[in-house]
Amino acid sequence: MGYLCKVDSDRVTLKKEIGLMSACAIIIGNIIGSGIFISPKGVLEHAGSVGLSLIVWMLGGGICTLGSMCYAELGVTIPKSGGDYSYVTEIFGGLVGFLLLWSAVLIMYPTTLAVIALTFSNYVLQPAFQNCLPPYIATRLLATICILFLTWVNCSSVRWATRIQDVFTVGKLLALALIIVVGLVQICRGHYDALRPSVAFEFSGDPSVGQIALAFLQASFAYSGWNFLNYVTEEVVEPRKNLPRAIYISIPLVTLVYTMTNIAYFSSMTPEELLASNAVAVTFGEKLLGIFSWVMPISVALSTFGGINGYLFTSSRLCFSGAREGHLPYLLAMIHLKNCTPIPALLVCCIATIIILCIGETHNLINYVSFINYLSYGVTIAGLLYLRKKRPHLHRPIKVNMLIPISYLIFWAVLLCFSLYSEPVVCGLGMVIMLTGVPVYFIGVHWKNKPKWIYRVVERVTYMGQKLCFVVFPQEDPSETEPLTASKVND
């Protein structure tokens, strides 16, 4: 799985090594990270009751299923790596694609990585600071060390990175399985007061549509990553068959696991205890596991560690795709001659994440990245409808019912409008940062007749980067994109 390659003359060729099982592992491994261990607090806080929070978790998975079905059609119709960015660029053109890429590189990926890294450090340090929050500097320092280490691993060896992903994916599944089993045992013993309908729907305050929208944003962070297989489409074996299969298997499974995990939390914790906890799984373990409570923070640390590794792996593919289209410096489209790892792209992701680590608190960062995530999802799925109208004869191995993207977009519009109303500063800043990409696009991409000295500087920097990182352009495999090109001619 991943950037396995062969050297042909002085060029490198990526090989298709991601089968159905590996594809499912990528989706599940990237979705299940830090979100399920920190988002329950935010979902409950905004939902206002246990019952509504559980409904939000189930509906959140259902919405992701609708979105993933749309992405399955896009993934086999436009079989290019890069996910949302590649589809939007293909459908709406360079500017819209660049804005999505700009927000992803500046906000979505580094912010998500920062949140997961902070969760990792909080759970590692929590046993040492049981009666108080871990020091701010300590959590940031440990998170930075984790990011740097995994960046080094991903730069050094694909085999090491994939082995880490496999091992820690098992760790995160075991952690959730332990929580679910212990919770079910509690329920069988009659400990489910908070789950009784008469109690579950007792609201702490007057519920509002805006607060429910923010609860969905918190839950969406835990589900983020459901579209990540689309970022490595060109490395999937038989993508027209395995891409949709992996999506249809993985999303319902994760939804079931997330809902059962939250039920398990409420089988042993009151809503007040959950809201007061800085590390929900640790509090759960302390209440039910006794002398074995140390298992929980270790399991969560393993889960988040693997999540960081997975996000670094896939985010580098977005930078790679953007650079290949000419929307980012060409240096980011290069991979190591021998290790076949995208070192420049990985370094950019690492630096951006460390910068984000120094600003913002966890739950604010979640609202921030979730808004931008949903914005990009909506634009991409709107592109599916536009493509249906613009190129109706385009070959579509999968063609979803029109009600699916329309239903998703209706939910998407309501969610974003009320989120913007409830958190205008957070959402507004996200929009502003996205729109700052407009002048960058026209100056850096659209303006072709730049002064010669600019091109000389870029060439010099690229040359120095190649020598420093020992990277070259990979040779592309046009076999998967030829049908799309041919369909353009036919249309």
Side-chain angles (χ1 to χ4, degrees):
M1 182 180 75
Y3 298 99
L4 297 177
C5 63
K6 61 181 179 181
V7 177
D8 181 13
S9 299
D10 60 341
R11 304 169 74 188
V12 217
T13 304
L14 300 174
K15 294 174 64 178
K16 295 179 179 296
E17 296 288 340
I18 303 177
L20 178 59
M21 293 300 295
S22 295
C24 292
I26 287 177
I27 296 176
I28 295 172
N30 277 290
I31 293 178
I32 302 177
S34 65
I36 189 57
F37 303 112
I38 56 177
S39 291
K41 178 178 178 178
V43 172
L44 179 62
E45 182 179 359
H46 292 295
S49 74
V50 172
L52 186 55
S53 70
L54 292 176
I55 291 174
V56 167
W57 281 105
M58 289 186 284
L59 289 180
I63 295 300
C64 288
T65 301
L66 294 179
S68 64
M69 292 171 69
C70 298
Y71 271 66
E73 176 178 328
L74 287 169
V76 297
T77 304
I78 307 175
K80 299 169 65 176
S81 293
D84 312 58
Y85 161 72
S86 293
Y87 308 147
V88 169
T89 302
E90 182 75 28
I91 297 168
F92 293 122
L95 176 59
V96 181
F98 179 82
L99 292 179
L100 194 146
L101 176 70
W102 178 258
S103 61
V105 172
L106 286 186
I107 302 176
M108 286 194 292
Y109 279 113
T111 301
T112 303
L113 276 166
V115 171
I116 300 175
L118 286 174
T119 306
F120 166 80
S121 60
N122 272 321
Y123 271 91
V124 170
L125 296 173
Q126 189 67 39
F129 300 92
Q130 295 184 2
N131 299 321
C132 61
L133 296 178
Y136 179 92
I137 297 298
T139 55
R140 263 60 183 180
L141 181 60
L142 183 57
T144 301
I145 292 172
C146 178
I147 292 291
L148 290 172
F149 173 73
L150 285 175
T151 300
W152 172 77
V153 169
N154 277 267
C155 289
S156 300
S157 171
V158 173
R159 188 173 299 275
W160 292 357
T162 53
R163 291 294 180 271
I164 286 176
Q165 189 67 14
D166 293 342
V167 171
F168 287 93
T169 296
V170 173
K172 67 181 71 179
L173 291 175
L174 289 176
L176 292 177
L178 177 61
I179 292 173
I180 292 171
V181 170
V182 173
L184 290 176
V185 170
Q186 284 290 100
I187 291 174
C188 291
R189 292 177 176 176
H191 301 286
Y192 51 86
D193 290 342
L195 298 171
R196 296 179 187 274
S198 58
V199 178
F201 288 95
E202 289 182 356
F203 289 89
S204 56
D206 293 330
S208 66
V209 179
Q211 288 299 311
I212 294 173
L214 290 177
F216 270 104
L217 282 184
Q218 288 283 331
S220 74
F221 176 79
Y223 282 107
S224 62
W226 55 266
N227 61 329
F228 272 20
L229 187 61
N230 293 70
Y231 283 84
V232 292
T233 302
E234 292 174 31
E235 295 169 69
V236 176
V237 177
E238 297 185 79
R240 298 182 190 274
K241 179 172 64 176
N242 287 328
L243 177 64
R245 285 181 179 178
I247 289 172
Y248 298 152
I249 291 171
S250 304
I251 306 299
L253 178 61
V254 172
T255 302
L256 175 64
V257 170
Y258 275 9
T259 304
M260 294 301 296
T261 301
N262 278 275
I263 290 174
Y265 284 149
F266 290 118
S267 70
S268 60
M269 301 170 63
T270 65
E272 292 75 19
E273 287 176 326
L274 192 147
L275 290 173
S277 174
N278 188 52
V280 177
V282 170
T283 304
F284 178 88
E286 290 173 348
K287 288 179 67 70
L288 297 182
L289 299 182
I291 61 173
F292 296 103
S293 60
W294 55 269
V295 171
M296 198 52 62
I298 291 178
S299 298
V300 177
L302 294 178
S303 172
T304 50
F305 192 80
I308 296 168
N309 185 71
Y311 262 82
L312 281 171
F313 184 87
T314 51
S315 61
S316 61
R317 292 309 280 161
L318 180 60
C319 290
F320 174 88
S321 298
R324 188 172 60 180
E325 295 290 337
H327 288 170
L328 290 176
Y330 287 116
L331 181 62
L332 300 182
M334 299 183 187
I335 60 178
H336 194 270
L337 183 61
K338 294 182 179 179
N339 298 336
C340 299
T341 54
I343 292 178
L346 284 164
L347 291 177
V348 167
C349 294
C350 175
I351 294 170
T353 302
I354 292 174
I355 293 173
I356 294 291
L357 276 173
C358 300
I359 56 176
E361 293 300 325
T362 302
H363 290 288
N364 289 334
L365 289 176
I366 291 174
N367 284 338
Y368 202 54
V369 73
S370 297
F371 177 81
I372 299 298
N373 260 330
Y374 256 108
L375 191 61
S376 65
Y377 297 157
V379 172
T380 304
I381 293 176
L384 182 148
L385 296 177
Y386 181 76
L387 193 64
R388 288 275 190 96
K389 181 179 179 180
K390 181 182 178 183
R391 296 164 64 183
H393 303 297
L394 183 65
H395 176 58
R396 294 175 172 87
I398 294 177
K399 193 172 183 179
V400 300
N401 189 290
M402 288 289 285
L403 289 176
I404 293 176
I406 291 173
S407 300
Y408 184 93
L409 287 176
I410 291 173
F411 174 85
W412 170 83
V414 171
L415 178 68
L416 287 192
C417 287
F418 280 103
S419 299
L420 189 59
Y421 174 77
S422 300
E423 290 284 351
V425 175
V426 172
C427 299
L429 283 175
M431 291 292 296
V432 168
I433 292 178
M434 177 179 285
L435 292 177
T436 57
V438 174
V440 176
Y441 173 80
F442 282 104
I443 294 174
V445 180
H446 186 72
W447 182 23
K448 301 298 182 183
N449 299 319
K450 300 182 183 70
K452 292 183 178 179
W453 67 267
I454 295 180
Y455 289 107
R456 287 196 296 268
V457 170
V458 172
E459 289 175 1
R460 183 63 180 171
V461 171
T462 302
Y463 176 71
M464 293 175 61
Q466 283 189 269
K467 291 185 66 177
L468 180 64
C469 299
F470 200 49
V471 292
V472 295
F473 279 110
Q475 180 179 348
E476 296 182 38
D477 180 5
S479 61
E480 289 294 335
T481 55
E482 281 177 354
L484 179 67
T485 306
S487 66
K488 283 185 178 181
V489 176
N490 295 333
D491 286 346

